[in-house]
Amino acid sequence: VPLDAFHSRDAERVERAVGLFDDLGCNMIRCWGGNVYEDHAFFDRCDECGIMVWQDFAYACCFYPQTDDFLAQVRREAEAVVEKLRNHPSLALWCGDNEIDGFYANAGLNPGANRLTREVIPQVLHRRDPYRHYVPSSPYVPPSLVGAPDVWAHTPEQHLWGPRGYYKGPFYMQHSAHFIGEIGYHGCPNVSSIERFISPEHLWPWDSNDEWQVHAVYHWQHQAISRDRIQLMANQVRELFGAIPDTLAEFALASQVTQAEAKKYFIESTRLRKWHTSGILWWNVIDGWPQFSDAIVDYYFSRKLAYEYIRRVQRPVCVIVGEAGSGKYLPVVVSNDTRSPADVHYRIWDAEDRQTIVEGDFSAPPNQNWQVDRLRTFASDQRLYLIEWEVDGERFGNHYLAGTPPFRLEQYRAWLQAIAALPRSFDAERVAR
């Protein structure tokens, strides 16, 4: 998203923002259709860090005019943007827009009739940047799916928002996407950040709070809130913990834990099914203004818990505990996303009794997943498994939350200390503060 709601300040934030992408291990960033076109400094840093850029043209979420006059303006904009950015090696993909194919399909119209993305922009790219990949929309509805009753179950790229329910519900576990272009989960900013943009008398409670709504993408023209993202955030807390805390500090902690576990799961599950789903662009890294959102870093560059969890599971070589499916064992998988073999020593133990459950050595082939072990699971389990592995003398950590909700927040708070102490450690006492 834009680095700052006041775009004149974007340049001040580029270096730190791209530093976050690099530290997280992101290998692709999507500059979304509701964004601005970043300047050379942004792309220069992505070039240096080896981070690919999926660049949307700046059209999103509505029907645009199809008149010759408007299309002439689109052409001039596209020519200027393409000529400016085309020499950056980090620029991997042009995308015509964000979700406008979906707007057409939902209205019973043919997305192929959108002259912006099927005529004007492709013509500009053919002349100005003919060798770079182009997709007309995100998600793209190909001609073969126009008019299909279940079009969104078959588009190759999907935005997995759905019911916004439990993050391991059927919608998230049984999707058919070959590439995930958007997926996210809300997380409350740190309390210290909230205190900077919410007045003292409106810090709490979260419900029926006009100031919270203003900072949650609430549209001023809506008399009734059509998508109450604050309520959504509270509902997601209740999904995991069975109740919504009654203090700001507890609410922020529970919300950040919920977001962190959800996004960790989205990334891990995508890695485990790489035979079908080739990648994931989760939403999103950092906010462009102070708000309650899916971002894992707030406007003030304060990191939420999800930042630490994602940083661990985006390592090129990662040990992941998967889901049991219909069986009684949890698979232990070594995921090697590099192009070289990796010799891995791994160990998994229970957070309560500290007893090692499985341990071993494995030579992971390049660009492959291999199940190296399994953990017996029971329907009654509510356990935390701690995971550690070593590659080329460097140690890494991860964890797996076993069982089904509701979990007790106090129990998770105690577990958080053990999670934080794993390699790539962080300060558990500062989480959500």
Side-chain angles (χ1 to χ4, degrees):
V1 299
L3 290 174
D4 200 291
F6 293 97
H7 302 313
S8 61
R9 301 198 299 217
D10 287 355
E12 304 167 15
R13 297 168 64 84
V14 165
E15 186 70 27
R16 290 183 71 184
V18 179
L20 295 173
F21 310 157
D22 190 33
D23 183 57
L24 283 163
C26 298
N27 53 27
M28 177 175 274
I29 288 294
R30 178 181 171 208
C31 290
W32 164 70
N35 194 9
V36 296
Y37 299 107
E38 297 294 348
D39 209 344
H40 286 297
F42 177 91
F43 285 88
D44 288 342
R45 289 295 291 124
C46 290
D47 293 343
E48 293 166 6
C49 295
I51 299 172
M52 296 179 289
V53 178
W54 165 317
Q55 179 66 58
D56 284 10
F57 286 91
Y59 307 99
C61 304
C62 66
F63 295 101
Y64 285 85
Q66 303 291 306
T67 63
D68 289 341
D69 178 65
F70 185 78
L71 294 175
Q73 296 182 57
V74 171
R75 187 181 302 275
R76 287 194 295 271
E77 177 178 309
E79 288 172 345
V81 170
V82 171
E83 289 179 8
K84 177 178 179 177
L85 300 179
R86 64 188 175 186
N87 290 323
H88 285 281
S90 58
L91 181 58
L93 176 76
W94 293 107
C95 180
D97 63 50
N98 175 72
E99 295 184 350
I100 295 178
D101 272 20
F103 274 66
Y104 273 75
N106 289 340
L109 303 174
N110 181 359
N114 182 5
R115 294 177 64 194
L116 278 72
T117 58
R118 269 49 172 201
E119 178 185 327
V120 177
I121 292 173
Q123 289 173 355
V124 170
L125 291 172
H126 180 72
R127 295 166 183 158
R128 270 30 181 217
D129 197 14
Y131 302 111
R132 192 165 269 116
H133 295 293
Y134 171 68
V135 61
S137 185
S138 175
Y140 166 56
V141 178
S144 60
L145 290 180
V146 173
D150 53 351
V151 58
W152 301 119
H154 298 290
T155 53
E157 182 227 336
Q158 297 176 20
H159 293 183
L160 297 180
W161 296 109
R164 300 288 193 102
Y166 176 44
Y167 62 86
K168 289 187 181 180
F171 176 82
Y172 298 110
M173 296 186 73
Q174 300 170 16
H175 68 82
S176 59
H178 291 288
F179 190 91
I180 302 172
E182 287 183 20
I183 188 172
Y185 221 72
H186 262 58
C188 196
N190 294 335
V191 172
S192 57
S193 293
I194 299 172
E195 291 172 342
R196 297 178 69 173
F197 65 87
I198 300 294
S199 56
E201 64 272 21
H202 288 94
L203 284 173
W204 194 254
W206 61 269
D207 57 328
S208 303
N209 188 322
D210 289 345
E211 282 197 25
W212 279 49
Q213 293 293 348
V214 166
H215 289 270
V217 203
Y218 167 51
H219 199 291
W220 66 273
Q221 289 183 334
H222 291 184
Q223 295 303 312
I225 298 168
S226 59
R227 289 194 296 176
D228 187 340
R229 299 190 180 197
I230 302 299
Q231 183 68 60
L232 168 68
M233 185 167 60
N235 291 346
Q236 291 172 341
V237 168
R238 186 173 177 180
E239 291 277 6
L240 189 62
F241 292 110
I244 301 171
D246 56 11
T247 68
L248 176 58
E250 294 285 295
F251 183 87
L253 174 63
S255 177
Q256 288 199 16
V257 168
T258 303
Q259 179 193 42
E261 288 289 348
K263 290 195 169 182
K264 182 174 100 74
Y265 169 72
F266 296 155
I267 294 166
E268 290 178 319
S269 62
T270 303
R271 293 188 73 163
L272 292 180
R273 56 183 287 160
K274 64 191 296 180
W275 53 271
H276 186 277
T277 307
S278 60
I280 177 172
L281 292 167
W282 43 267
W283 182 284
N284 63 321
V285 179
I286 184 169
D287 285 324
W289 77 300
Q291 65 169 331
F292 301 90
S293 76
D294 303 80
I296 65 169
V297 181
D298 68 32
Y299 176 73
Y300 306 108
F301 285 92
S302 293
R303 301 174 181 182
K304 303 177 189 178
L305 180 60
Y307 186 97
E308 307 298 345
Y309 285 11
I310 290 173
R311 185 169 173 260
R312 286 174 168 176
V313 299
Q314 290 195 160
R315 296 303 94 192
V317 179
C318 188
V319 177
I320 300 168
V321 174
E323 300 304 308
S326 58
K328 58 183 180 181
Y329 291 98
L330 302 170
V332 178
V333 177
V334 175
S335 179
N336 180 7
D337 282 351
T338 76
R339 294 198 286 177
S340 302
D343 293 326
V344 180
H345 177 79
Y346 63 90
R347 182 172 76 95
I348 299 178
W349 65 99
D350 186 285
E352 296 290 338
D353 62 21
R354 311 291 296 176
Q355 295 297 310
T356 296
I357 302 171
V358 297
E359 185 173 16
D361 296 280
F362 183 74
S363 183
N367 196 30
Q368 292 186 33
N369 293 333
W370 279 83
Q371 181 176 336
V372 297
D373 236 313
R374 61 183 188 174
L375 307 175
R376 181 69 167 93
T377 187
F378 297 89
S380 59
D381 275 353
Q382 282 200 328
R383 305 172 67 183
L384 177 70
Y385 295 107
L386 301 173
I387 308 165
E388 186 173 308
W389 67 98
E390 184 174 322
V391 181
D392 294 330
E394 192 170 4
R395 293 165 58 242
F396 302 91
N398 192 11
H399 71 274
Y400 178 80
L401 186 62
T404 55
F407 292 88
R408 290 188 305 110
L409 182 58
E410 283 307 307
Q411 175 67 81
Y412 196 100
R413 191 198 301 273
W415 285 341
L416 187 58
Q417 299 288 338
I419 295 170
L422 291 166
R424 298 292 197 272
S425 61
F426 58 89
D427 187 351
E429 294 299 325
R430 296 182 63 85
V431 170
R433 291 188 177 182

